[in-house]
Amino acid sequence: MAAALEEDEIDNDDYYSLLNVRREATQDELKASYRRLCMLYHPDKHRDPELKRQAEQLFNLVHQAYEVLSDPQSRAIYDIYGKRGLDVEGWEVVERKRTPAEIREEYERLQREREERRLQQRTNPKGTISVGIDATDLFDHYEEDYEEISGGGSGGLPHIEINRMHISQSIEAPLTTSDTAILSGSLSTHNGNGGGNINLALRRVTSAKGWGEVEFGAGDTHGPLFGLKIFRNLTSRCFTTAHCGMQFSSRGIRPGLTTMLARHLDKNTMGYLQWRWGTQSSMNTSIVRDTKSSHFTFAVQLGIPHTFIMMSYQYKFQDDDQTKIKGSVKSGFFGTVVEYGAETKISRHSVLGATVSVGVPQGVSLKIKLNRASQTYFFPIHLTDQLLPSAVFYATVGPLVFYLAIQRLVIRPYVRAQQEQELEKQRESSASDVAKKKQEAEAAVLLMQESVRRIIEAEESRMGLIILNAWYGKFVTDNSRKHERARVIDVTVPLQCLVKDSKLILTEASKAGLPGFYDPCVGEEKSLKMLYQFRGVMHQVLCGDTEALRIPKQSHRIDNDS
């Protein structure tokens, strides 16, 4: 929800950065910094009308920041949701004595009411497209049989065909805050034969502990369907579901019942017990453990016709692409299947995965899956009915090589181009704001001149801290990016103005919010580079945009000739 506040907005007015205090600053620290800045930028210190007007603007901005941060309730709202959070409709009903946790809860309530009004006019489409591919001719063709049929050598192209396809789609239509209608349908075909069905479900949330759903369906293969599903929280750690249905067909009515009991065994572990009665009766028990770095499942099923034992493990890498590798083994009356694979995020809304399945008597298959937002595209490719090492090798190495090539030649250039376009749009939309910030920074620098002169004289007399040069913005240090243009601004005067008692302390906040600063390269990584003199010795330092900085400290020393 907090992200919604920041959407389509560029806000450089960081109150903590403006006052140059920590986010955990006490009231005394806020007051001390506020008084010091008021002394520096008080309008009465300037006779020139233009300087006086600029000083008044900066003085008012500092006063506004102090007003917000000195009030516990306003500060709590600002810390959670930023400046726009202070303007959200509905805050007038919040009591003044609320704690930060209560304020967050109240804000989320207001947001939920707003979302519920939107949901009445929205649908939630979900879809799956599955295309089964038979590629067994790549590995299972026999030389002699082929020569007899074709009358020649084996120089023809392998025969690869699409032998099955399945398409399903569903949409949700919120009728009220507690009632939802779900319309779904599917079409399937296998070797030229197929059919479809359509289902309508009405779901009602009866309380915070449960909901119920009535389902009606019809199809050309199974006939009409009527079903009822119930979900109920039994305790804070246990819940149950029950689903009963009746399928009407030319052979009569076929009833079915499925119940499941689930319990939290600990913070990250769930236990499930499921019983199914009907055309394929079974009893299934499973344990699922899901943590930040892994996902483990163990399941045992006794049933007709499927009885098996299954174990799977998935490792989650803590990277930006949310990469996962997984493996599983499943053994039962049908045989044994071993699967392994990986998935990774290829764009903001897309996840690509590939799984190799090796089993007896199933053979070797490659399954490719693409999740794009709420749509799923699934491509199971059957390679061979036998356990051929060559098929396993190509099913493993082929997708990996193909993905690396596509990643380097297509995905990365495309994402980079998209980022450049978004960055350019952001620069264009923020051009007027940057120009305004630049004027305010230049005006602040003019107001600082007299104070800086006095500070330098005092520091020279005690051989203290003198800022010789300081730049803020984007520095190009990588040789591979020399074609990019560095965009920096001179911030020597603003930094010298912050020196007090031969010390310069910058808190963990964006430097763009400091008086005399502005953002010269919106949307890009920035840093602060400084050359200063302390106790007659020259030093230089480079720090990140939001990195805390305390001078004097041990820095890289350079010669005076540098």
Side-chain angles (χ1 to χ4, degrees), residues 448-468 492-493 496-497 499:
M448 296 173 184
Q449 297 293 341
E450 184 60 29
S451 298
V452 166
R453 185 184 61 79
R454 292 197 300 268
I455 292 172
I456 292 177
E457 289 177 355
E459 294 298 320
E460 286 178 342
S461 65
R462 67 178 81 165
M463 294 188 67
L465 179 60
I466 306 293
I467 309 297
L468 301 176
T492 307
V493 171
Q496 186 69 64
C497 193
V499 173

Side-chain angles (χ1 to χ4, degrees), residues 185-205:
S186 65
L187 290 171
S188 300
T189 177
H190 185 201
N191 291 330
N193 298 317
N197 62 75
I198 186 169
N199 292 73
L200 173 64
L202 300 174
R203 179 183 299 171
R204 164 165 284 192
V205 178

Side-chain angles (χ1 to χ4, degrees), residues 46-309:
H46 303 278
R47 295 183 178 179
D48 183 271
E50 181 61 24
L51 290 179
K52 190 178 185 70
R53 184 185 63 81
Q54 294 170 351
E56 187 175 348
Q57 290 179 353
L58 190 56
F59 182 84
N60 290 337
L61 189 59
V62 170
H63 178 70
Q64 181 184 6
Y66 177 71
E67 256 192 346
V68 171
L69 299 184
S70 60
D71 178 69
Q73 188 206 26
S74 298
R75 183 175 180 177
I77 297 171
Y78 177 79
D79 286 345
I80 299 170
Y81 304 109
K83 284 181 64 179
R84 286 189 64 183
L86 297 168
D87 302 327
V88 170
E89 179 184 357
W91 278 126
E92 62 274 6
V93 302
V94 180
E95 297 177 8
R96 299 291 295 177
K97 295 182 180 180
R98 292 284 181 95
T99 65
E102 291 172 332
I103 290 172
R104 179 189 291 271
E105 187 177 340
E106 183 70 14
Y107 182 84
E108 290 177 351
R109 183 189 67 79
L110 294 171
Q111 287 290 85
R112 280 197 301 270
E113 290 179 355
R114 185 170 150 197
E115 286 299 320
E116 286 169 357
R117 291 193 296 268
R118 289 181 179 179
L119 281 175
Q120 295 178 10
Q121 302 174 353
R122 280 174 45 186
T123 61
N124 183 26
K126 296 178 182 178
T128 300
I129 297 177
S130 177
V131 180
I133 301 174
D134 184 358
T136 54
D137 200 40
L138 289 172
F139 298 96
D140 288 348
H141 62 277
Y142 296 93
E143 301 286 346
E144 296 179 0
D145 295 343
Y146 184 81
E147 288 177 359
E148 290 178 1
I149 296 173
S150 63
S154 57
L157 294 175
H159 180 64
I160 298 175
E161 64 177 10
I162 296 176
N163 61 357
R164 68 174 62 197
M165 182 176 292
H166 175 81
I167 301 175
S168 64
Q169 186 75 29
S170 69
I171 57 172
E172 296 181 4
L175 306 178
T176 65
T177 55
S178 59
D179 296 328
T180 303
I182 304 169
L183 181 65
S184 61
S186 65
L187 290 171
S188 300
T189 177
H190 185 201
N191 291 330
N193 298 317
N197 62 75
I198 186 169
N199 292 73
L200 173 64
L202 300 174
R203 179 183 299 171
R204 164 165 284 192
V205 178
T206 55
S207 67
K209 291 187 176 182
W211 50 265
E213 184 176 291
V214 178
E215 179 184 12
F216 304 92
D220 59 353
T221 57
H222 300 295
L225 167 70
F226 172 77
L228 178 65
K229 188 173 183 180
I230 298 173
F231 170 89
R232 180 75 177 178
N233 280 312
L234 303 178
T235 67
S236 59
R237 301 181 62 180
C238 183
F239 67 88
T240 183
T241 63
H243 180 251
C244 60
M246 289 186 293
Q247 186 82 55
F248 300 88
S249 66
S250 57
R251 299 179 181 180
I253 300 175
R254 292 187 294 176
L257 175 66
T258 302
T259 61
M260 184 188 70
L261 178 67
R263 178 177 174 82
H264 288 273
L265 303 180
D266 62 31
K267 180 181 179 181
N268 300 307
T269 308
M270 289 287 296
Y272 299 91
L273 184 62
Q274 185 182 69
W275 175 65
R276 180 184 290 111
W277 173 80
T279 55
Q280 295 185 355
S281 300
S282 65
M283 176 73 76
N284 181 294
T285 182
S286 59
I287 296 176
V288 178
R289 180 170 178 81
D290 191 12
T291 65
K292 186 178 180 181
S293 61
S294 65
H295 182 94
F296 173 79
T297 302
F298 177 78
V300 177
Q301 177 171 301
L302 300 174
I304 301 172
H306 299 301
T307 295
F308 65 85
I309 181 171

